[in-house]
Amino acid sequence: MRKLLFFFSFLLTISLHSQDYFPTDSGVKTTENTLVAFTNATIYVTPEKVIKKGTLLIENGKIIGVGKSVKIPTGTETIDLSGKTIYPSFIDIYSDFGIKKPKRASGNSRVTQYDASREGYYWNDHIRPDVNPLKDFSFDGKKAKSLIEAGFGVVNTHMADGIIRGNGLLIALNPNATDAYRILDTKSAQYLSFSKSVTSRQAYPSSRMGAMALLRQVYLDADWYAKGNMKNTDLALKALNENKDLIQIFETNNHLDALRADKVGDEFGIQYTIVGSGDEYERINDIKSTNANFIIPVNFSNAYDVSNPLLAQQISLRDMRKWNQEPSNLKTLAENGVNFALTTNSLKSVKSFHKNLQKAIKYGFDKEKALAALTTIPASIIGNNNIGNLQEGSYANFIITSGDIFDAKTTLYENWVQGAKNVINDMNIPNITGNYMLSVNNKKYDLSISGKGAKQSGTIKLGDKKIKSKFSFKDDWIEITLNEESGYTRMIGKIINAANVMQGTAFDILGNETSWSASKTVKKEDKKKKSSKKSKKDEIVVMPVSYPNIGFGNYIQPKQETLLIKNVTVWTSEDAGILENTDVLLKDGKIVEIGKNIKARRATEIDGTGKHLTAGIVDEHSHIATSAVNEGAQNSSAEVTIEDVVDPTDINIYRNLSGGTTTAQILHGSANPIGGRSAIIKLKWGENAENMIYDDTPKFIKFALGENVKQSRYQNGVRFPQTRMGVEQVFTDYFTRAKEYDALKKSGKPYRKDIEMETLSEILNKERFISCHSYVQSEINMLMKVAEKFNFNINTFTHILEGYKVADKMKEHGVGGSTFSDWWAYKYEVNDAIPYNAAIMHNAGVTVAINSDDREMSRRLNQEAAKTIKYGGMTELEAWKMVTINPAKLLHIDDRVGSIKEGKDADVVLWSHHPMSIYAKAEKTIVDGKIYFDIELDKNKRAAIKQEKSKLIKMMMDEKMGGGKTKVPMKRGDRNFQCDTLEETKS
């Protein structure tokens, strides 16, 4: 296949340079004169350089002259374009034009495929840099016609399939040539995405974090391969290295993915050009900080049909805002200095491109920047100076229009590609659109003509009554037929006075002749009144963006304050216990003083009389604030990390703050024995993902035991292990390999860097801690023995429900226990769970925490802690420690959070009542000295949401009543990630 492809490419190269001297037996060889001059036109050489009454001279598909005083050679065909404008043809650098859709892999969908199906290539089928779309390219005349009619002259196309997708082709949309001329570049770019190839059913990766980890490993392996360290030939890695100097174009589905792609690129010194999604305005500062070039679709949502108030209630504020805000995306990007090109990608029809772009311009997008985003910028991104401009030496790709290319009234006449003319609308047909007074048979009618070129049509009214009629305009002749009760009137005539007056002869049903005329009318209105009325009607209201851009988001980020909480009951979670009538001073994000009668200048005082102050709750086991939980396609996914997929837009962050939770360990799920690495975050609502993750965070990883990892309830589960003893063997095997890997690494000899082995080596070197999903006593014992065999300790058995059976062994091993307060019997392996579990482990000397593993329970961990008082007789202070200092100890962050102590982070909660009371409400939740939840502000936010939805509903009703397209209301899916969740969040 590679030889065949090379041969085809060779023939193509020959044809590019040899066709002009091929012999011909099909006719004469003399070709027509290709020297053409376009005179008296307004010429946009570039968006910034405009020539009035200029001349454009082209020959053999190239521009050979442009300016005001271009010398026109004898014999040149000259076309007078007085009153017309010439623009460079547009460029779309993200397309699949002419590429056959890949066939979806066949086979039994119930049987999971774990191994690659391609031999001689990388171990993962979704890495396909070797794909060259040249062999699959077939010029699509129909699609080319629609693109040409929209003003496009060049597209950059590729096989849109896989994570690494191979190279692209730069194609001139010249239907009058062969591929030998219209293929401008056979290796224009390298394409990537986070999406798997449809041609393979290989399961890995099954998540966004898995795709990111895979990309990292591919880059490491490509470097290893380039240095000649691999014994085998890998055609995929070979191609990746060959393509590394190409422009790297990365497709993403939302602004979070754009930032994730940039993160991977930065790690390897690669600056991706990112294909955006249209929501970049939601995090414009983060988007700007990538320093990436972007390719932005112009695809806007339709308004929702909100005429049914019950259905309208289902629509989230987030989705309503999207319809309102996304047309301002291009304006926002441009004003913030983000360099971007535009694409027709994701449009159902190219015909909607101009309409959407005109809407973006109406929302404030600058026309000059719009032209640049379609011409010079995509040319610059792709590295081709011969397209996207009308300078000498460039391809003769240009559009001839009646005026401003972005005006809805402008007519596109012709689109020349490589010097070949493509007629869109005959420019010799005059534009007669407008309103006329039609006089015939002693009656005066209103004639309204609309449309462009040969498609101009007319409607006729007599007063307010619409008259049945036919109108045609062809070859400068106008034909009108009126169908009234008195009979038919047929008219024929021509235009005089530059389309302002028409006149001709009319015939009645009997054939009697009379004259008719029509003159263009100008409505005489008070200009001032009309202007004010129009501005009010056309006023565009764009809702402000909040962070995150959903209900309860912050328009202004919380500021760090000096706060003095006076006369409050302080639960220290330290040896000091509970302090009555005490003051606490927070300054510069720290707890700086605890005592009585504290005074601080310029501090905001908060009256804590009758209230309680505690450290922020720490949840040792959570699955909120993430776009994915499991990478379960392999029995070990130590290479992935939840830090890659932290989702700061999850409403559960705000809800958890309202329940007093300030820190959470976001754990990988339990789909495999060795899971992914954790993210320990502060719930800083409104911040971006990176700012939520702890600085110098302790390193954690999720392991799992039991039914989930051996796929007990999976219909298609065939992956090893399938038994509990197989789970043990997985651990032993991986740690044996990690030990060998670590020894080779430390020996100083060359070694292939393996992210998975690096992570497991950190465990062996006691640099990374294990939180292990666990239920059954026998497995808990097993894992402790495996750890001791390899000379390390398990850090935490999380949601451990049979800990009470092995508490003495846990104490001896040095492992902590994080548990549910009173969950049991929800599946077979938890039948022996008891609510006394926490107390029994605590009494045995184990550090015990109460965790949630649930988005709803994490909002009331204060009440879960209280249950240990009922079940086990814990003291109030020891019970409270189970959701504050104890989980902080298990996460190795107790030097920063988990208790109220001078010098620690100012992460505290002010409660209305005793913190473990069912009546207690978190009145203020403070993180790093910033108030991220305030119960009074929450009430204001609820009222604001109601008001904003009301405004948006009115706008959508106006849109519908004004004839705009609408769509059926849809309820956004409610995310509920748990240990065994396999699917990802869809933004």
Side-chain angles (χ1 to χ4, degrees), residues 432-436 447-451 456-459 471 478 502:
I432 61 172
T433 58
N435 297 312
Y436 295 80
L447 168 63
S448 179
I449 302 174
S450 61
Q456 294 177 91
S457 60
T459 58
F471 176 96
I478 299 164
M502 310 171 193

Side-chain angles (χ1 to χ4, degrees), residues 15 300 692 842 935 948:
S15 66
F300 304 143
M692 290 175 66
H842 169 80
I935 200 166
E948 184 177 352

Side-chain angles (χ1 to χ4, degrees), residues 92 94-99 101 138-150 152 155 157 173 344-350:
D92 189 342
Y94 191 75
S95 173
D96 62 356
F97 172 82
I99 306 296
K101 297 288 184 185
S138 177
F139 191 84
D140 186 337
K142 184 178 179 180
K143 191 170 183 180
K145 184 175 183 294
S146 65
L147 286 164
I148 287 169
E149 289 176 351
F152 288 88
V155 294
T157 188
L173 296 173
T344 61
N345 181 54
S346 78
L347 288 175
K348 290 183 179 180
S349 172
V350 177

Side-chain angles (χ1 to χ4, degrees), residues 425-467:
N425 292 292
D426 189 342
M427 75 171 77
N428 295 314
I429 298 176
N431 178 12
I432 61 172
T433 58
N435 297 312
Y436 295 80
M437 179 66 72
L438 171 63
S439 300
V440 64
N441 295 330
N442 297 317
K443 294 182 182 179
K444 294 190 182 296
Y445 300 83
D446 291 318
L447 168 63
S448 179
I449 302 174
S450 61
K452 294 178 180 179
K455 296 180 180 180
Q456 294 177 91
S457 60
T459 58
I460 298 173
K461 285 184 176 182
L462 183 60
D464 293 330
K465 182 181 178 182
K466 186 175 181 181
I467 305 298

